[in-house]
Structures are given as structure tokens and as C-alpha cells.
Amino acid sequence: MELRSSLSRARGLGSAKEGVHHWWGQRVTAIALVPLSLWFVVSAIGLMGADLPAFQAWIGSLFNAVLMVVLVAVLFYHAWLGMQVVIEDYVHGEAAKTTSLLIVKFALAVMAVACILAVARLAIGA
Amino acid sequence: MASSQRPLSPHLQIYRPQITSVLSILHRVTGVALTAGTLLLTWWLVAAASGPGPFATVQGFLGSWFGHLLLWAFTFSLFYHLSNGIRHLLWDFGWGFELEQVRLSGIAMVAAAAGLTVITLIAAYVAAGG
Ligand code: HEM
């Protein structure tokens, strides 16, 4: 016999209401990535085969350092949101899904921090 | 409703690939590829912050034939994902949902991605050579 009321069973099973936030995050970062990634491609062309002093001179400009940090932050957040959807679509079973989400998101977060600290070190050291 | 009467999503093995479905899955493929590409970006920046030796290693790797291959692939992936991403954003504003428009914008998007990739490659080789 079921002692819990229908309402109590239904509670907590619905949407977590974070879908809209996720969707907006993906769009806002996508829009920001259009100019940022074009800037990055143009910069990367100029840095083809550069040695370290040339690279340091480039990232030593506050303009480039700021854009690089913004690019890294936006790009990793976009990839974080995007990979979440891909994993949720293809990895089945709660344990496998949660584990892959944790690994991918942790790796992306660590890389984002490493990139930002690297730029900070270069920009301040320069 | 009996489960046998529910609508099914297309069965990929027997469903003829169409320009819409192929372009759509490529957005996902390029998104995942670009995410893998962040490893290279991280290596590049961390190496630069670590000193001349590590930085020369990355630049040497990127200058090898395999490095060039990766860079071409990431360049195309980026431009594909960017052009198609703009198409996505226009759809979000409700633009271009007619089947014929979807087909045409799809062709335009692939052309733009290919064109931008070629321009970037030429610019990169000119810059590296000059
Ligand atoms: C260059 C500008 C970019 C634009 C305009 C853009 C746009 C978009 C849009 C609109 C979506 C959502 C697609 C959907 O709703 O199905 C998306 C998904 C995604 N993006 Fe990007 N993106 C850009 C760059 C990047 C970069 C640099 C990365 C990787 C580091 C990336 C990784 C992803 C991933 C993994 C997804 C999820 C794919 C999926 O769900 O099928 N994007 N992008």
C-alpha cells in the first residue's frame, strides 16, 4: 500500500528549471565568440612560427592580454555548456553520465584556469 | 497510447542523409573537435608562460606537417561552427525556417566556411613566408 500522497511523489521529479539559463548561456557566449574568435585567428596568423620574445611582446600588450583572458573564459564556458548537452544525449545510465560530465567539466575548468594564469604571468612578467 | 503507435525518431541506418541532417550533426562534430582543440590552446599558453624551451617545442610541433594538419582541421572546424552558429542564432530569432531557406543558408554557410578557411590558410602561409 502506498502511503505517500500523489503530490508528494510528484514533487522534485519535475524540471530543475535551469534549462532556460543553460540555453541563454550558450547563445550569449556564442554571440561573444564571433568577434573574439575572428580576432584570435587574425592574431594567430601573425604569430605563426614566432619565438618567445615575439609572443611575449604580443601578449604584453594589455589589449591582447585582456582579450585573450576574455576569449578563454567565454570559450571554456561555451564548451562546458555544449559538452554537457552532447554527453547527456549520448551517454546513458546515471553512473556513466555523471562520471563523464564530472571528468569533462573538471578538465575544462582546470584548462581554463591554467590558460588564464598563464596569460596573467606573461602579461605581468612582460 | 500503445507504445507501438508512438512517433519514432528517424532510424539513422535506413534514413537517407539529407543536407539538413548532415549539416546539423557536423555542427556537433565541430563543436566537440574544437573542445578537443582547447588542449592545444592550453599547451600553447602554458608553454609560453613556462619559458623559451617549452615554447619552442610547441611552435616546432605546430610547424610540423602533423601540426599543420591539425591547424587546418581546427581552422575549418572553427569557421564551419562559427558560420553555422550564426545560422543557429538567426533561427533563434525566428528567421529562415522555410525548408528552401534552410537549404540555401546551409549551402551559403558551407561556402563561407570553406572560403574563410582558404583565405586564412593563404594569409598564414604568406605571413609565415614574409
Ligand atoms: C566561433 C563562434 C561560435 C559560435 C557562433 C558558436 C555557436 C554555437 C551555437 C549557437 C550552439 C548551439 C547549437 C544548438 O543549439 O544545437 C553551439 C554549440 C556548441 N559549441 Fe559552439 N560556437 C562557437 C564557438 C565554439 C568553440 C570555440 C567551441 C569549443 C571550444 C564550441 C563548442 C560547442 C559545443 C561542444 C557545442 C554543443 C554542440 C551540440 O550540442 O550539438 N563552440 N555553438
Side-chain angles (χ1 to χ4, degrees):
Chain A
M1 188 180 145
E2 176 61 84
L3 290 175
R4 296 171 76 204
S5 72
S6 314
L7 178 62
S8 125
R9 257 180 289 128
R11 258 191 198 132
L13 291 178
S15 138
K17 302 273 191 312
E18 49 173 49
V20 173
H21 184 238
H22 187 284
W23 188 90
W24 267 111
Q26 191 92 57
R27 311 297 126 166
V28 171
T29 51
I31 293 171
L33 277 171
V34 174
L36 284 170
S37 56
L38 291 175
W39 164 81
F40 179 75
V41 169
V42 172
S43 307
I45 291 175
L47 290 165
M48 286 273 298
D51 57 4
L52 189 54
F55 185 81
Q56 281 166 334
W58 177 78
I59 199 95
S61 130
L62 192 58
F63 179 82
N64 290 332
V66 168
L67 279 189
M68 197 67 206
V69 169
V70 174
L71 169 78
V72 164
V74 173
L75 177 142
F76 278 103
Y77 188 48
H78 182 88
W80 162 293
L81 294 172
M83 289 306 292
Q84 177 182 337
V85 178
V86 175
I87 292 171
E88 285 171 350
D89 279 354
Y90 300 135
V91 184
H92 304 298
E94 261 340 283
K97 183 176 295 190
T98 309
T99 313
S100 352
L101 280 173
L102 279 177
I103 293 174
V104 168
K105 289 189 163 185
F106 185 71
L108 289 172
V110 169
M111 287 197 286
V113 171
C115 284
I116 291 171
L117 283 183
V119 174
R121 187 170 181 186
L122 283 157
I124 293 166
Chain B
M1 202 193 332
S3 55
S4 61
Q5 289 169 350
R6 286 188 191 140
L8 290 170
S9 52
H11 199 291
L12 287 181
Q13 278 81 18
I14 57 167
Y15 203 76
R16 185 168 63 85
Q18 297 174 2
I19 180 165
T20 39
S21 60
V22 172
L23 296 187
S24 164
I25 193 61
L26 274 177
H27 189 76
R28 176 158 279 193
V29 171
T30 52
V32 173
L34 289 169
T35 304
T38 59
L39 283 167
L40 206 54
L41 175 70
T42 308
W43 183 25
W44 193 54
L45 290 175
V46 169
S50 310
F55 190 67
T57 310
V58 193
Q59 293 293 75
F61 171 73
L62 292 177
S64 70
W65 70 266
F66 185 63
H68 278 217
L69 193 68
L70 281 183
L71 289 178
W72 296 342
F74 286 132
T75 306
F76 180 73
S77 295
L78 178 68
F79 283 132
Y80 182 96
H81 193 92
L82 186 148
S83 315
N84 199 44
I86 292 175
R87 204 159 149 252
H88 261 283
L89 295 171
L90 293 175
W91 288 331
D92 293 339
F93 285 108
W95 183 89
F97 263 130
E98 296 304 321
L99 205 52
E100 186 54 19
Q101 288 172 323
V102 171
R103 205 179 65 81
L104 287 179
S105 66
I107 295 172
M109 179 273 290
V110 173
L116 286 166
T117 305
V118 170
I119 293 173
T120 304
L121 292 185
I122 294 176
Y125 284 114
V126 169

